[in-house]
Amino acid sequence: MNFREGTRRLALLLGVLGAILGGFTSYVELQPVMRHGEDHQRFEQLANSPAVQQARDSYLPPWQRHWKAPPEPGDVVVQKQPQQSPVKRDFLDGATRIDDAQNPQENLPPGWTQYAPSELSSGGIKTVYWTGRLEVASIETTDGETLRPTPAPSPWLYLLIAIFPVLGFFIPWGATRAIGWVGAGFVAGPKVSV
């Protein structure tokens, strides 16, 4: 067997082993990305459910309920008030303040309103927590899990994960071929010039 054939076979063997290792790496990296995607889809599905939309609409006046986008800071928003809490209007900052609230309004930007959590107990949702713009901040499910808004995984992550086995093959294969090519230059006999 000559040096060139041995190098070719070694490059193929290391390339196959690298592809197997790249496939294993792809599998390990794919698991959290898939879980992240499932969490995103589950949150979006619950946040856009009719029960949550109805709870959001209960905070808005009737003329504003057809709006799809949440109100902007400075928009007039009527807040659903707990019956036991007296409401005071603070004319300095234009925000409605609920006395004896656990989360005071002073931490919110001017023009934003603090919304009480909505207790739904329907559709797998126990409680919905709102942001100052009446967006869903988090959802507590009936089984005790808390879901928060997360961005969808990038499609580039899936492409990168798919490339791992290919890189696992070509990197060791190419490195072995390059080392063999350099080694062949040292092993080859001197060229005879005519």
Side-chain angles (χ1 to χ4, degrees):
M1 182 178 326
N2 63 17
F3 183 76
R4 178 174 277 167
E5 182 63 22
T7 303
R8 188 184 69 78
R9 289 182 183 184
L10 179 63
L12 284 175
L13 176 65
L14 292 178
V16 169
L17 292 176
I20 292 170
L21 182 63
F24 179 74
T25 304
S26 290
Y27 175 77
V28 169
E29 291 295 321
L30 186 63
Q31 298 308 312
V33 172
M34 294 294 284
R35 177 68 181 156
H36 185 77
E38 290 170 5
D39 290 345
H40 170 75
Q41 285 181 339
R42 184 162 183 224
F43 177 83
E44 289 298 320
Q45 186 178 33
L46 292 176
N48 294 320
S49 68
V52 173
Q53 296 298 327
Q54 186 177 14
R56 179 182 288 120
D57 286 347
S58 70
Y59 285 105
L60 299 173
W63 56 270
Q64 210 176 29
R65 291 183 182 168
H66 67 279
W67 292 0
K68 296 296 181 192
E72 295 292 328
D75 286 348
V76 177
V77 177
V78 177
Q79 179 180 359
K80 183 178 170 183
Q81 303 293 336
Q83 293 182 0
Q84 71 272 14
S85 298
V87 177
K88 290 186 180 178
R89 182 81 178 160
D90 188 347
F91 291 101
L92 295 176
D93 64 2
T96 303
R97 185 177 69 227
I98 302 174
D99 288 349
D100 302 321
Q102 291 181 349
N103 298 322
Q105 294 261 348
E106 289 83 27
N107 295 333
L108 294 174
W112 286 31
T113 307
Q114 178 179 351
Y115 298 96
S118 300
E119 301 286 333
L120 297 183
S121 299
S122 67
I125 302 170
K126 180 180 175 188
T127 308
V128 177
Y129 297 93
W130 304 100
T131 65
R133 291 190 59 207
L134 203 55
E135 296 172 343
V136 178
S138 66
I139 297 174
E140 187 178 332
T141 62
T142 53
D143 58 353
E145 185 179 6
T146 301
L147 300 173
R148 290 183 174 72
T150 56
S154 170
W156 293 107
L157 284 175
Y158 293 106
L159 180 64
L160 180 65
I161 289 170
I163 289 176
F164 282 153
V166 175
L167 290 176
F169 176 81
F170 281 111
I171 289 174
W173 177 81
T176 306
R177 296 289 290 197
I179 292 170
W181 176 73
V182 171
F186 288 109
V187 173
K191 291 189 177 184
V192 178
S193 58
V194 185

